[in-house]
Amino acid sequence: MDTPYSLLVAEEVVSTQDLARELMRPSRPAVVVAHRQTGGRGRSGSPWQTAPRAVAVSVGFRSDWQSPYRTLLPLVAGVAARRVLGESVWLKWPNDLLVDDSKAGGILVEAAGEQIVAGMGVNLYWPDPPAGVGALDARDPGSDRGPQLATGWADELLTLMRTGADRWPRDEYLEACVTLGTQISWDPNGRGRAVDVAPDGSLEVVTAEGHRISLTAGAVRHVRPSPG
């Protein structure tokens, strides 16, 4: 069956994000899938570590979602990821995918005008990962699993985007978000309790001083659990 997007599956690329941006057309999204990236990046341009068995996927498409809904895109992409990867995956605001409290993947959304490039990187299998890093599978699932999950995520994300910004699955995100209800700290010296996700996707926090504030993903580089 013909897909509603162009599809490129490669063993290795420099960046699925950059390729998806190059290949997308105004009337046809582009999906790029790779087992490895030599120049993959995370949020704020941080480098991305690649597991022995991993997959990276990016979807380039046009969207008429306007502000303040654009800031919801990483959260919508996270919901799409959990639907495809399974309920063993939890979401850490704004863009991390967790398995057993360890980071197993991440979401990156880059937008310019109506042009959106949404990416997901997932560690599928990592027998000896660095501290704090996890993977989706306990055994090597083979080379076919990554592209299957990647295209499944692309399909789910594009479907959610078509449903409209006012109908994004907020309740589903809240149920899967492990950040809510926890004590967190953020750079440079913030500290408080995460209590809710605002309509625009920002994280609502009650600070240590008792003030309720909203943290936006663009203004916060790291959000981490905080004791007490």
Side-chain angles (χ1 to χ4, degrees):
M1 183 176 65
D2 188 29
T3 60
Y5 48 76
S6 64
L7 175 63
L8 172 65
V9 180
E11 188 66 27
E12 181 178 282
V13 300
V14 176
S15 166
T16 58
Q17 289 286 104
D18 294 341
L19 263 179
R21 184 178 294 105
E22 292 174 12
L23 295 175
M24 65 175 290
R25 298 292 180 264
S27 61
R28 190 169 176 81
V31 175
V32 177
V33 180
H35 295 281
R36 292 184 303 277
Q37 297 182 98
T38 59
R41 59 185 179 274
R43 192 164 65 95
S44 302
S46 57
W48 177 258
Q49 292 179 290
T50 300
R53 180 72 70 187
V55 68
V57 53
S58 294
V59 188
F61 59 97
R62 298 182 75 87
S63 171
D64 60 0
W65 283 29
Q66 302 297 321
S67 297
Y69 297 115
R70 285 293 182 91
T71 50
L72 291 171
L73 293 177
L75 281 59
V76 173
V79 171
R82 192 169 193 255
R83 287 182 178 182
V84 172
L85 301 178
E87 294 186 354
S88 64
V89 173
W90 298 91
L91 307 177
K92 175 187 170 186
W93 185 92
N95 66 331
D96 287 348
L97 308 175
L98 305 184
V99 173
D100 295 331
D101 296 324
S102 296
K103 183 173 179 177
I107 302 291
L108 175 64
V109 177
E110 298 171 319
E114 292 187 350
Q115 186 182 75
I116 309 292
V117 183
M120 178 180 72
V122 182
N123 300 326
L124 300 179
Y125 172 68
W126 204 332
D128 188 22
V133 177
L136 193 62
D137 297 327
R139 297 182 179 180
D140 189 341
S143 61
D144 292 339
R145 179 159 163 80
Q148 290 171 353
L149 293 174
T151 53
W153 174 75
D155 291 336
E156 193 67 42
L157 176 60
L158 291 173
T159 297
L160 286 172
M161 293 299 299
R162 287 192 295 269
T163 63
D166 58 339
R167 291 185 290 167
W168 82 282
R170 181 175 183 271
D171 290 344
E172 192 173 343
Y173 181 85
L174 296 180
E175 182 179 350
C177 181
V178 298
T179 310
L180 296 179
T182 64
Q183 295 290 334
I184 62 171
S185 60
W186 59 94
D187 294 339
N189 55 6
R191 184 181 172 91
R193 184 177 181 84
V195 295
D196 202 359
V197 172
D200 65 353
S202 59
L203 184 67
E204 296 192 351
V205 176
V206 176
T207 68
E209 296 76 26
H211 305 298
R212 189 172 180 124
I213 64 171
S214 293
L215 302 178
T216 62
V220 178
R221 182 174 175 84
H222 295 296
V223 173
R224 59 184 68 85
S226 180

